[in-house]
Structure formats: C-alpha cells, structure tokens
C-alpha cells in the first residue's frame, strides 16, 4: 500500500495540539482500510474463480495492532471440492456423461470442476466431506474419517471443533481397496491473488486511495471531538 507521506505530515501538524490524536486517527484509518481491502479481495477472488466470497474470506487473516494492520492470504493449496465441483456418472466406453435416469453396467464416476474459465474432469473421482486439515488434504488418508474423529474426541476436542476440521474435497482411490485415498488440490488463495492479472496491483492501489481519504475523515472526527 502506497501512503501519501505529505498528507500524513499535514495531519500530524494539524493534530499536534490534541494528545494522542494523530495516533488514534492512523489506527482507525488503518483498521478501516484493512477491512475494505479484505472485502475487495474476497469479491475479486470470487469473480476470478468459482469460490464463494465467504470461502475466500476464511482463507485470509486480518491482523490489527496498535501500530498497524496487515492482511494475510493462506499459502496452502485449497481442496478442489471448494470450487464449482459436480459429481457425474461416466460411460467407461465413450467417457461421456450418462443421462440422468439411464442405468448402465458400464457406468463409472467422475467429477467436473471449474476454476475461472478453466473446466476440467477427474475420472474415477468422487466428492466427499472428509474430516481432515482444511486445505491440506484429508489429514491421514490411510485412515477413515470415523477413526480420525474418534482420535480428536479422545484428545478432548468438542464436536464443533471436529467439524471445523472437515472440508468438502474430491478424492480418488489409490488402489482397488477402500483406502488409501488421494486428493488432488487446487491453487491456494495466495496463488490466485498473485497470478490473477491485475489483482495484486489494482486492489493495493485502490486501498491506498481509500486510506488517504480515511485519514482525512478521521481527522475531522478527532477535531470535532476536541472542539466539542
């Protein structure tokens, strides 16, 4: 974020008679600017992919302190099930989608997903809600969700805390047996921000403009309180 140092110097001079006034203005302006950046990134990520803004928001972290604020994006690759994924049946001979209501002994499973304009197919894949670390696969994919849930409950985690460790993913069986599974992963939120043209430049530029406006607005608030 680019800051207009001349405007900050003017604000500091204008508030020099108010004890702590300048620090309060900067703290409030910075906090509001980070909130606006958070909203802008959520919406931009949703437009660039098929993620919902709320899902994108959960992969970002706002940090505010007495001296500043920051916005962090999760570098861990996201499960493909978070994107626009749909379970479909495939004809093993033609590899085409089987019409709904048409049973076939040659049928198999597949998952179609889309990230932005890119649409792909994972053959022999299925969608499931797996208990595991979010964004890092299904935890230990050699064990069942029930086994992992029992282990966490034995450690004292509440059912709500266990549910937070679950995520919707796309899985494939590695062999003929039920386990282990493999989970293809998509890009991380950090990768989406960096590699989407213009996102990592346009939003910081707009936030810089918003921040300078917020400083002026909060200066007015502080001066009115002091005068009153």
């Amino acid at each position: 974020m680019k800051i207009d140092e001349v405007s900050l110097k003017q604000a500091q001079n204008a508030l020099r008679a108010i004890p702590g006034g300048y620090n309060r203005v900067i703290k409030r302006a910075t906090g509001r600017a980070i909130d606006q950046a958070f909203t802008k990134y959520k919406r931009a990520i949703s437009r660039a992919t098929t993620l919902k803004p709320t899902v994108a928001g959960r992969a970002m972290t706002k940090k505010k302190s007495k001296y500043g604020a920051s916005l962090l994006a999760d570098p861990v690759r996201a499960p493909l099930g978070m994107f626009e994924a749909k379970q479909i049946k495939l004809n093993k001979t033609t590899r085409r989608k089987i019409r709904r209501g048409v049973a076939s002994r040659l049928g198999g499973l597949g998952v179609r997903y889309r990230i932005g304009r890119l649409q792909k197919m994972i053959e022999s894949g299925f969608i499931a809600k797996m208990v595991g670390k979010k964004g890092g696969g299904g935890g230990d994919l050699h064990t069942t969700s029930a086994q992992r849930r029992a282990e966490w409950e034995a450690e004292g985690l509440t059912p709500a805390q266990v549910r937070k460790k679950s995520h919707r993913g796309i899985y494939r069986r590695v062999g003929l047996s039920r386990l282990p599974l493999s989970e293809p992963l998509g890009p991380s939120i950090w990768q989406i921000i960096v590699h989407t043209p213009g996102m990592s430049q346009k939003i910081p530029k707009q936030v810089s403009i918003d921040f300078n406006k917020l400083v002026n607005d909060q200066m007015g608030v502080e001066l009115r309180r002091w005068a009153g």
Side-chain angles (χ1 to χ4, degrees):
M1 186 172 73
K2 187 176 180 180
I3 297 174
D4 186 350
E5 295 184 3
V6 174
S7 296
L8 291 186
K9 190 67 176 179
Q10 291 174 346
Q12 192 172 20
N13 291 333
L15 298 169
R16 63 182 181 275
I18 305 175
Y22 176 74
N23 290 336
R24 287 192 295 271
V25 164
I26 296 302
K27 182 179 179 180
R28 290 197 299 264
T30 303
R32 285 167 172 76
I34 287 297
D35 289 340
Q36 292 180 7
F38 181 72
T39 300
K40 291 179 189 297
Y41 272 115
K42 283 197 306 181
R43 292 173 178 173
I45 291 168
S46 182
R47 288 193 298 267
T49 66
T50 55
L51 287 176
K52 295 180 180 179
T54 52
V55 174
R58 286 196 291 268
M60 293 188 290
T61 304
K62 289 187 290 184
K63 290 189 176 182
K64 299 180 183 180
S65 67
K66 182 178 179 181
Y67 303 102
S70 61
L71 181 61
L72 307 177
D74 196 339
V76 179
R77 294 176 64 189
L80 282 176
M82 294 170 59
F83 297 90
E84 193 178 79
K86 185 177 181 181
Q87 185 78 62
I88 62 173
K89 287 187 175 182
L90 297 174
N91 185 295
K92 288 185 178 180
T93 303
T94 63
R95 313 314 302 170
R96 293 181 180 177
K97 182 179 177 182
I98 298 175
R99 295 195 306 275
R100 182 177 295 180
V102 178
S104 172
R105 287 179 296 177
L106 299 176
L109 290 178
V111 176
R112 183 178 62 208
Y113 70 93
R114 184 168 66 86
I115 302 178
R117 297 181 180 180
L118 181 65
Q119 182 169 287
K120 287 190 175 183
M121 176 80 68
I122 296 181
E123 296 182 359
S124 302
F126 60 93
I127 299 174
K129 191 170 185 180
M130 189 71 68
V131 176
K133 297 179 181 178
K134 284 189 176 181
D140 181 4
L141 295 180
H142 287 74
T143 60
T144 66
S145 294
Q147 289 171 326
R148 289 196 295 277
R149 187 179 290 107
E151 290 173 359
W152 282 325
E153 288 177 349
E155 293 174 6
L157 271 67
T158 65
Q161 290 172 323
V162 172
R163 284 196 298 272
K164 285 183 179 180
K165 290 177 174 287
S166 303
H167 71 270
R168 182 176 184 263
I170 299 174
Y171 300 91
R172 288 184 297 193
R173 288 187 170 84
V174 175
L176 297 177
S177 60
R178 184 182 178 190
L179 295 173
L181 301 174
S182 67
E183 182 184 8
L185 299 174
S188 67
I189 295 300
W190 181 84
Q191 288 174 320
I192 293 170
I193 292 173
V194 171
H195 297 301
T196 300
M199 189 182 297
S200 58
Q201 294 84 28
K202 184 177 179 180
I203 293 179
K205 183 178 180 180
Q206 183 60 51
V207 172
S208 298
I209 296 172
D210 294 340
F211 174 75
N212 293 323
K213 291 180 179 178
L214 286 165
V215 169
N216 291 329
D217 292 342
Q218 293 305 315
M219 274 183 58
V221 172
E222 198 68 32
L223 288 170
R224 287 192 295 273
R225 287 178 179 175
W226 180 68

